[in-house]
Amino acid sequence: MEIKKTRIYGDIVEINKKEVKSFWNKRAQKYTDDNPYNAVKCNDNNPEYVHTLEEYERNYIIPQIKIDSNSKVLDIGCGIGRLADVIVPQSKYYLGTDFAEELLKIAKNRINPSYNFDFEVCDFINISKNECVQKNKLFNKVILAGVTMYINDQELKTCLENLLEIIDKNATIYISSPIAIDERLTLEGFYSENLNSEYNVIYRTVNEYLNTFKVLIEHGFKVTKNEHFLNDMKQYPETERHYFILER
Ligand SMILES: C[S@@+](CC[C@H](N)C(=O)[O-])C[C@H]1O[C@@H](n2cnc3c(N)ncnc32)[C@H](O)[C@@H]1O
């Protein structure tokens, strides 16, 4: 009997969206008030690491997106609203969307209701059809923090193309994701001891990401940041933390 490979190098293999969604809905059970971000940061055995990542992103990356009182922010795959904590108080309007309704239930109760924000259950592929998105467009800041690696290639291209309908002519897109250092790596139904669960994810190379961004570049966007970060705290030999900023 052939044993199914769950770590696939190089080849393009699709991951199962239903399983990705179910994984994220279950992560809602990991939410605690004293370590709220671990539910979405997935470092169950290393809460200190979650803290360092958080500090870095807040202090060095988010300021580069230049959110201010004119910003209309669309945070796609917002999870429990981790970045909403820092972005909502600075922006004119914030909309967090996610396909995992259990995470959004938590998000909705975390933010001070006096601010101008919404949370909506929405799969990224349907973003331009969502009523709340339509009502509040055009957005000038788009956040995709740790989301793109859960979306298959063709679908991700379509998702990015759909963004063009709902963003302003001047807009900034922030995309962060672990990337593959040498060659693409897909985990398909891979049992992760760290997460005590099966896990599905696509680690693309930087060049694969740049190729995926072509649809945005053809519509006037430039990649203004393309950097790895916190390499001194590397956890896995084949991947590293990376972020891109695209501006138009
Ligand atoms: C690693 S968590 C990041 C959450 C949040 N962006 C943050 O940085 O705290 C990944 C999130 O992406 C969401 N997600 C994955 N695929 C999605 C899709 N196709 N549409 C909407 N949300 C998606 C998951 O439900 C999960 O909340």
Side-chain angles (χ1 to χ4, degrees), residues 53 56 61 174 176 227-231 240-243:
L53 269 176
Y56 188 90
I61 306 183
Y174 163 55
S176 71
E227 282 188 7
H228 59 71
F229 65 101
L230 288 182
N231 259 11
E240 61 192 16
R241 305 239 158 225
H242 204 92
Y243 72 99

Side-chain angles (χ1 to χ4, degrees), residues 17 20-21 24-25 37 39-42 57 75-83 97-100 103 122-125 143-147 149-151 155 159 176 199:
K17 188 193 281 205
V20 172
K21 188 168 165 181
W24 284 106
N25 271 320
Y37 301 150
V40 283
K41 280 294 192 187
C42 297
E57 196 178 22
D75 184 2
I76 299 169
C78 64
I80 60 145
R82 180 182 65 89
L83 289 173
T97 63
D98 202 292
F99 71 175
L103 292 175
C122 180
D123 188 318
F124 189 4
I125 194 70
I143 314 277
L144 278 160
V147 182
M149 69 271 206
Y150 300 112
I151 303 175
E155 181 165 329
C159 287
S176 71
Y199 192 53

Side-chain angles (χ1 to χ4, degrees), residues 30-76:
K30 295 276 171 186
Y31 178 81
T32 57
D33 287 334
D34 53 330
N35 188 9
Y37 301 150
N38 186 45
V40 283
K41 280 294 192 187
C42 297
N43 263 281
D44 296 356
N45 302 328
N46 199 343
E48 223 6 73
Y49 190 84
V50 173
H51 181 71
T52 310
L53 269 176
E54 181 62 29
E55 292 274 289
Y56 188 90
E57 196 178 22
R58 243 177 220 228
N59 296 333
Y60 296 101
I61 306 183
I62 298 299
Q64 297 180 50
I65 313 169
K66 301 191 186 82
I67 290 165
D68 61 24
S69 54
N70 290 317
S71 300
K72 290 177 86 172
V73 183
L74 179 59
D75 184 2
I76 299 169

Side-chain angles (χ1 to χ4, degrees), residues 156-174:
L156 181 57
K157 284 187 183 161
T158 309
C159 287
L160 295 178
E161 193 172 2
N162 291 346
L163 277 184
L164 294 165
E165 288 176 40
I166 54 166
I167 54 178
D168 204 350
K169 107 177 144 336
N170 296 315
T172 304
I173 305 176
Y174 163 55

